[in-house]
Structures are given as structure tokens and as C-alpha cells.
Amino acid sequence: MITGFKIKMPSEKFFSERIKKAQKFVDSEVLRRSDPYIPFKTGMLRDSGILGTKIGSGRIRYLAPYAKKQYYKGRSSGKRGRYWVKRAMLAHGDAIASGAQKIIDGE
């Protein structure tokens, strides 16, 4: 007759580290996958996203003073144009999510 049992659960720190690693993956992948969609003239808009985003924070931020105007009202030229993060996530969001899930699962 079983009177008790013990389950060894991974520590909170163990899960916390995986989640942090997954968040860093998501942030860097969103920047990388958004790159072909960002309007490009001098490259400053793209670079302002790299400089303005703290990888692992969960927030993608573009520092260029004209970034907001370009994001909502800019002109499109082929693949590049408005709503670049949204369009990149529609195209690559599933791959980013599955990659993050693999990190969390420890694969």
C-alpha cells in the first residue's frame, strides 16, 4: 500500500532561465525577420530598432524620430513599407513561436 509519494519538480529558477532565454530569442527573431519589411533608404530606421531594443525585454522599440510616422503612414515599395513588424509576424510568427516553445521545453 502506497502511503505517500514525492515528485521532483524543476526549480523556479530553472523555468525562469528558460523563459528569459526564450524571450531573448523572440526579440532577436522579430528584429531579424522584420528587417526585409522595414523601409530602407539609409538604414538608420533599421539600425534604430537594433539600438532601441533591449534584447530580452519583450519590447521592440525604434528610436528614429520618424519611425512612428513611417510605421503608420509611410509609403510601401515592394516588400518594404508600413506595419513591418505586423507583416513579419504574419509571415514568420509561427516559426518564432515554435522556436521559443522548443527553448522552453528544453529541446
Side-chain angles (χ1 to χ4, degrees), residues 39-81:
F40 190 87
K41 189 170 186 179
T42 63
M44 187 56 204
L45 183 57
R46 180 200 60 212
D47 294 345
S48 80
I50 294 167
L51 294 171
T53 300
K54 181 180 176 195
I55 301 295
S57 68
R59 182 175 180 204
I60 305 298
R61 185 167 179 226
Y62 289 85
L63 297 176
Y66 52 88
K68 184 176 181 179
K69 185 175 180 181
Q70 282 288 336
Y71 190 80
Y72 293 107
K73 297 180 180 180
R75 290 202 171 122
S76 295
S77 174
K79 200 176 189 184
R80 297 181 180 274

Side-chain angles (χ1 to χ4, degrees), residues 4-89:
F5 60 92
K6 210 176 204 182
I7 298 175
K8 186 175 180 184
M9 294 291 291
S11 67
E12 182 180 327
K13 183 180 177 188
F14 179 75
F15 282 123
S16 177
E17 289 304 314
R18 283 187 180 180
I19 289 171
K20 286 178 186 175
K21 194 173 178 182
Q23 185 62 60
K24 287 180 180 184
F25 170 80
V26 169
D27 292 353
S28 63
E29 282 296 292
V30 168
L31 282 172
R32 186 176 74 84
R33 303 272 184 137
S34 295
D35 186 88
Y37 299 91
I38 298 171
F40 190 87
K41 189 170 186 179
T42 63
M44 187 56 204
L45 183 57
R46 180 200 60 212
D47 294 345
S48 80
I50 294 167
L51 294 171
T53 300
K54 181 180 176 195
I55 301 295
S57 68
R59 182 175 180 204
I60 305 298
R61 185 167 179 226
Y62 289 85
L63 297 176
Y66 52 88
K68 184 176 181 179
K69 185 175 180 181
Q70 282 288 336
Y71 190 80
Y72 293 107
K73 297 180 180 180
R75 290 202 171 122
S76 295
S77 174
K79 200 176 189 184
R80 297 181 180 274
R82 295 182 283 191
Y83 303 107
W84 56 85
V85 174
K86 185 184 277 188
R87 291 186 298 119
M89 290 303 291

